[in-house]
Amino acid sequence: MATKKTYKIVLSGGGTGGHIYPAIAIANELKHRFEDAEFLFVGAKDRMEMEKIPQAGYKIEGLWISGIQRQLTMKNLMFPFKLMSSLYNARKIVKSFKPDVAIGTGGFASGPLLYMASQNGIPSLIQEQNSFPGITNKLLAKHVQKICVAYDGLERFFPADKIVKTGNPVRKSLLDINSKTEEAKKLFNLKEGKLTLLVLGGSLGARRINELIEKELDFFDTQNVQVIWQCGKLYYQQYKIYNNTVNVQVHEFLNNMDFAYAAADIVISRAGASSVSELCIVGKPVIFIPSPNVAEDHQTKNAMAIVDHNAAIIIKEDELEVDFKNKFSQLVASPQRQKELGENIKSIALVNATNDIVDEVEKLLKVKS
């Protein structure tokens, strides 16, 4: 009788939550399908994955790697040394762990790890969250077998025969938020008869969005709007004083995002790939304020992919002074427009993304077997 194969799976992705949480979601689904599988994550030393991955119950090893700065800095002079060190250590990890498959979700560390895995004949897959790929995944594309994407049109960057449109993995708790609305309103102690605005700037926070919200608190009051404001870890000490303001609650971080989404009538958000994917699942009217401080301005491209379907509103940071009050008050005044945006963004959602990505991983495992 043939013995059951116990798979070894290596995953790499990090730097931001947008790379980490998809990797964890993929690992969780693989663990569900292959209970005896052994997992190892590879991240960048001193980045948030070194904390978040163990919290999710997985082992992780760190590489000495970082990205190239867009400005000329001393850090860039170290990049060749960091790259050589990371390639050497990634090769050691691959040789020692002997994975059956390698999965990358973007970020600095996934470059050396996926490159070395592919060079050692390990079937490899990358997952690209954005509508405009980062440099790591662009470089890896020719070395891997499969590329799972969330947007149309990525044939411009990747070999078309490797692309599978799956969407981005999202938390399972978001799949049925409508059933949580009443409980969410009680949890956040919200008042009946007022619209609820949820403000999201990412886990660290978004300076320009926080400045906007602070400036417009009186305006929100005139619009009969109450505010759940996630200001982020970097800004909480500065803005927590507004917890003393009627109809405003400031949070450093929202651990129960499903209830926050369930409570919201309108959302203001950055346009990182994971946020966009979650907001499609959630199906609430959204005003995107993309970060201009990201490579290739990919947040604007992510947002426009939704706006082009009449499924969200976009306001660029340099247009906030002129456009925000007007666009926000128009949205508040039109329940029909709110309903239209919510329905349209929900129609774009790819709700089976995690399963579809893991299906592709399974195909690679079967080829390896």
Side-chain angles (χ1 to χ4, degrees), residues 152-171:
D152 293 321
L154 270 78
E155 297 83 2
R156 292 174 296 155
F157 309 104
F158 299 139
D161 61 333
K162 295 183 179 182
I163 293 175
V164 183
K165 188 181 178 186
T166 57
N168 288 325
V170 299
R171 293 169 257 214

Side-chain angles (χ1 to χ4, degrees), residues 240-259:
K240 66 180 181 181
I241 57 167
Y242 293 106
N243 276 318
N244 300 320
T245 306
V246 178
N247 300 321
V248 178
Q249 47 184 286
V250 184
H251 300 265
E252 177 179 331
F253 188 75
L254 291 164
N255 288 311
N256 43 3
M257 277 306 303
D258 51 339
F259 286 100

Side-chain angles (χ1 to χ4, degrees), residues 6-233:
T6 302
Y7 291 115
K8 289 184 155 194
I9 298 165
V10 68
L11 302 98
S12 185
T16 67
H19 296 309
I20 296 165
Y21 296 120
I24 292 171
I26 292 166
N28 287 344
E29 176 58 25
L30 282 163
K31 195 174 186 179
H32 174 72
R33 295 192 194 186
F34 306 106
E35 291 179 10
D36 298 327
E38 189 179 344
F39 294 87
L40 177 65
F41 279 74
V42 177
K45 285 180 179 176
D46 303 323
R47 299 300 294 240
M48 65 187 288
E49 58 264 31
M50 301 307 291
E51 177 188 343
K52 298 296 183 186
I53 298 299
Q55 284 176 1
Y58 295 101
K59 291 187 294 185
I60 185 166
E61 293 195 26
L63 300 177
W64 186 46
I65 187 70
S66 60
I68 301 175
Q69 308 297 310
R70 277 179 279 181
Q71 294 83 22
L72 188 62
T73 69
M74 287 298 289
K75 285 183 179 177
N76 281 347
L77 297 177
M78 294 301 295
F79 179 76
F81 302 101
K82 289 184 176 183
L83 181 61
M84 293 306 294
S85 164
S86 293
L87 286 168
Y88 174 76
N89 285 306
R91 184 172 179 273
K92 276 177 65 177
I93 289 168
V94 169
K95 291 282 190 185
S96 167
F97 186 63
K98 297 184 175 63
D100 295 291
V101 69
I103 301 161
T105 57
F108 314 135
S110 67
L113 190 280
L114 269 287
Y115 176 75
M116 279 302 172
S118 64
Q119 293 303 294
N120 282 273
I122 309 301
S124 302
L125 173 150
I126 53 175
Q127 196 254 328
E128 174 54 59
Q129 293 103 31
N130 290 294
S131 58
F132 197 99
I135 188 168
T136 302
N137 278 351
K138 280 188 198 170
L139 291 171
L140 287 172
K142 61 186 173 190
H143 299 289
V144 302
Q145 281 69 47
K146 284 291 174 188
I147 305 168
C148 294
V149 303
Y151 294 91
D152 293 321
L154 270 78
E155 297 83 2
R156 292 174 296 155
F157 309 104
F158 299 139
D161 61 333
K162 295 183 179 182
I163 293 175
V164 183
K165 188 181 178 186
T166 57
N168 288 325
V170 299
R171 293 169 257 214
K172 285 187 176 178
S173 60
L174 302 183
L175 296 178
D176 184 28
I177 63 155
N178 289 336
S179 67
K180 303 175 184 178
T181 303
E182 288 307 311
E183 192 180 347
K185 286 180 177 178
K186 288 177 186 170
L187 179 69
F188 287 100
N189 199 24
L190 297 171
K191 294 177 183 171
E192 290 294 331
K194 287 182 176 287
L195 283 180
T196 301
L197 169 65
L198 173 63
V199 181
L200 304 170
S203 57
L204 296 179
R207 180 181 59 82
R208 188 64 187 90
I209 290 179
N210 287 335
E211 290 172 349
L212 171 77
I213 300 306
E214 181 183 40
K215 178 172 173 283
E216 304 300 355
L217 287 177
D218 289 340
F219 166 67
F220 294 138
D221 209 33
T222 67
Q223 296 290 305
N224 199 30
V225 167
Q226 55 197 334
V227 183
I228 300 172
W229 177 8
Q230 180 187 288
C231 67
K233 184 178 180 180

